[in-house]
Amino acid sequence: MVFDTVKIRATVALVTDRYHHGDLRRALIDAAVASIAESGPSALSLRAVAKLAGVSHAAPAHHFGDKAGLLTAVAAEGYDRFADALERAWKATGDFVEVGIAYVRFAIDNKAYFETMFRPELLHEDDPDLQRAEARSNAALVRGAGEQRADAEFNPEALGAWSLVHGFAGLLMGGNFPPAVVADPEGALREIAKRVRFGKPE
Amino acid sequence: MVFDTVKIRATVALVTDRYHHGDLRRALIDAAVASIAESGPSALSLRAVAKLAGVSHAAPAHHFGDKAGLLTAVAAEGYDRFADALERAWKATGDFVEVGIAYVRFAIDNKAYFETMFRPELLHEDDPDLQRAEARSNAALVRGAGEQRADAEFNPEALGAWSLVHGFAGLLMGGNFPPAVVADPEGALREIAKRVRFGKPE
DNA sequence: CCGCTAACTTGACACTGTCAAGACCGGGGC
DNA sequence: GCCCCGGTCTTGACAGTGTCAAGTTAGCGG
């Protein structure tokens, strides 16, 4: 265990008098994220998470119902942070490429969240919190991608840009790219952006 | 269990006199693929695979060493079939877009293989068979993507095209696309391809 | 026909998620 | 100020998992 158990338990201690054991929900999510960062979402163990947070082995299941429930909570929080990051990039620069950069930057900096978000078979996809957060990040994405009306059923340019950026992030994190790209992903993506043009067929 | 147990056991029966129980390795991989197609690679159970193939619970581990070993065998076979599909598309049409279409078509038609291939945390990445098959599919990909020299360390156009097509496949299978795209993914991708141009910055 | 070496089985172990039942404790009504 | 109620968490149990060591079986070369 390389986790910072002390730190995670500290977040509990901070609010320890709110009820029985403080904001356990928060502590469990933090522990889960730490664990996912180490060995991926599919290897997550509820009992390990419980030990990390210093509670009994069944506490996580009680709070989230399920292992999938805990992962769903992580994913929902991930989508929220993701939406924040995209909106921030769009507001700061107004540049569509910068939103793409923010996309892969988020994937790199928040590996645990990102890996959990795009693994539907591990989640409760019907969870309202998850759906709300997902919708928020989708909205932020199309706003940044197209500045066209967001209600477009099928916008090829936006879908293409989204695919490109999402695929880039996925391949990068999967270790499928050459070392030069891994060393400076942001630079590589800018290079690609310079070489790609979207628009009506000639 | 919705699997076609009879059929899978039949593949065993076909070669049943080769040694103890026929080509068990083959039967186990088939069973694994069937199981993965149902519930994803992370939910794979060695014992379920064994039951499907009609052997004892420890037989899979004996053949593949590990759960990761079995998944690695599946991934390696997947990469080989993938390389075949890409090469076939390239030879048949010589069209770079058609290779992209073949890419996502493979993802759709061979969901189980595709999902396993791009989950490094579940595999033995140092396996020589896996690496060979992976290299083969990479070669097929750059040959189709750029027709430039394949030794290029970092080819922005090819990387961009790869990212786009890979991201499209991933988002499609993750259920992140609108219904119109899900209904006709091939058409959607062609639409995108018409709107995207790669080349030197103007 | 005999033994040797592989392929496979058996049995055990520690670990997992999930569930029912109980223990604990803080806050609201008397 | 006391008590009881309800939610928070724990305890104990269960079936299922991957993995390993030891045993059994069967085919092949002598």
Side-chain angles (χ1 to χ4, degrees):
Chain A
M1 296 277 183
V2 201
F3 306 131
D4 192 347
T5 310
V6 178
K7 194 165 167 194
I8 288 169
R9 302 209 52 176
T11 65
V12 176
L14 278 177
V15 282
T16 205
D17 347 278
R18 285 229 296 173
Y19 40 78
H20 291 198
H21 288 80
D23 195 349
L24 185 50
R25 188 191 146 86
R26 192 52 280 145
L28 288 173
I29 292 184
D30 288 345
V33 169
S35 172
I36 293 168
E38 282 246 320
S39 31
S42 45
L44 184 79
S45 152
L46 286 188
R47 291 172 111 107
V49 166
K51 197 170 290 183
L52 247 183
V55 290
S56 85
H57 63 167
H62 173 264
H63 263 267
F64 299 98
D66 230 21
K67 175 147 113 165
L70 173 51
L71 285 168
T72 300
V74 171
E77 195 170 293
Y79 272 113
D80 264 325
R81 294 177 178 225
F82 192 45
D84 289 344
L86 296 180
E87 284 172 3
R88 217 176 307 131
W90 176 245
K91 277 192 186 137
T93 68
D95 182 357
F96 141 79
V97 172
E98 292 304 320
V99 177
I101 301 281
Y103 195 112
V104 338
R105 177 143 296 287
F106 181 89
I108 297 171
D109 294 344
N110 302 74
K111 196 171 189 266
Y113 284 110
F114 193 79
E115 282 188 310
T116 308
M117 286 156 56
F118 292 97
R119 252 192 210 25
E121 81 273 18
L122 301 179
L123 308 178
H124 289 141
E125 296 192 78
D126 50 350
D127 180 87
D129 262 27
L130 179 65
Q131 291 185 338
R132 184 197 41 76
E134 224 175 294
R136 207 163 88 74
S137 95
N138 275 349
L141 199 58
V142 303
R143 202 172 333 138
E147 41 185 332
Q148 294 97 330
R149 66 218 179 288
D151 57 293
E153 239 296 292
F154 165 46
N155 176 345
E157 287 93 353
L159 242 54
W162 184 14
S163 295
L164 198 161
V165 145
H166 184 75
F168 186 89
L171 290 169
L172 177 68
M173 322 255 326
N176 297 94
F177 279 155
V181 178
V182 176
D184 178 20
E186 194 172 318
L189 185 56
R190 285 187 199 280
E191 207 64 36
I192 292 174
K194 271 196 280 186
R195 305 282 221 288
V196 175
R197 267 182 301 280
F198 291 92
K200 300 269 149 51
E202 70 281 349
Chain B
M1 296 278 180
V2 201
F3 307 131
D4 192 346
T5 309
V6 179
K7 192 168 171 194
I8 287 170
R9 302 209 53 175
T11 66
V12 176
L14 278 177
V15 282
T16 206
D17 349 277
R18 283 229 297 175
Y19 40 79
H20 291 199
H21 287 81
D23 195 348
L24 184 51
R25 188 191 146 86
R26 198 41 288 143
L28 288 173
I29 293 183
D30 288 345
V33 169
S35 172
I36 293 169
E38 282 247 320
S39 32
S42 45
L44 184 78
S45 152
L46 287 188
R47 292 172 111 107
V49 165
K51 197 169 289 182
L52 247 183
V55 289
S56 86
H57 62 135
H62 174 263
H63 263 268
F64 299 98
D66 231 22
K67 176 148 113 164
L70 173 52
L71 285 167
T72 300
V74 171
E77 195 170 293
Y79 272 114
D80 265 325
R81 294 176 179 227
F82 191 45
D84 289 345
L86 296 181
E87 284 171 3
R88 217 176 306 130
W90 175 244
K91 277 191 186 137
T93 67
D95 182 357
F96 140 79
V97 171
E98 291 305 319
V99 176
I101 302 282
Y103 195 111
V104 338
R105 177 143 295 288
F106 180 90
I108 297 170
D109 293 344
N110 302 74
K111 196 171 188 275
Y113 284 111
F114 193 79
E115 282 188 309
T116 309
M117 287 156 55
F118 293 98
R119 266 217 201 0
E121 80 274 17
L122 301 179
L123 309 178
H124 287 142
E125 296 191 79
D126 50 349
D127 181 87
D129 263 29
L130 179 65
Q131 290 184 339
R132 183 198 42 74
E134 224 175 294
R136 206 162 91 73
S137 94
N138 275 349
L141 198 58
V142 302
R143 202 173 331 140
E147 44 184 329
Q148 295 96 330
R149 66 216 180 288
D151 57 294
E153 239 296 291
F154 165 47
N155 177 342
E157 287 91 354
L159 241 55
W162 185 13
S163 295
L164 198 161
V165 145
H166 184 77
F168 186 89
L171 289 170
L172 177 68
M173 322 253 327
N176 298 93
F177 279 155
V181 178
V182 175
D184 178 20
E186 194 172 318
L189 185 56
R190 285 187 198 282
E191 207 64 35
I192 291 174
K194 271 196 278 185
R195 306 280 218 292
V196 174
R197 268 182 300 280
F198 291 93
K200 300 269 148 50
E202 71 282 347

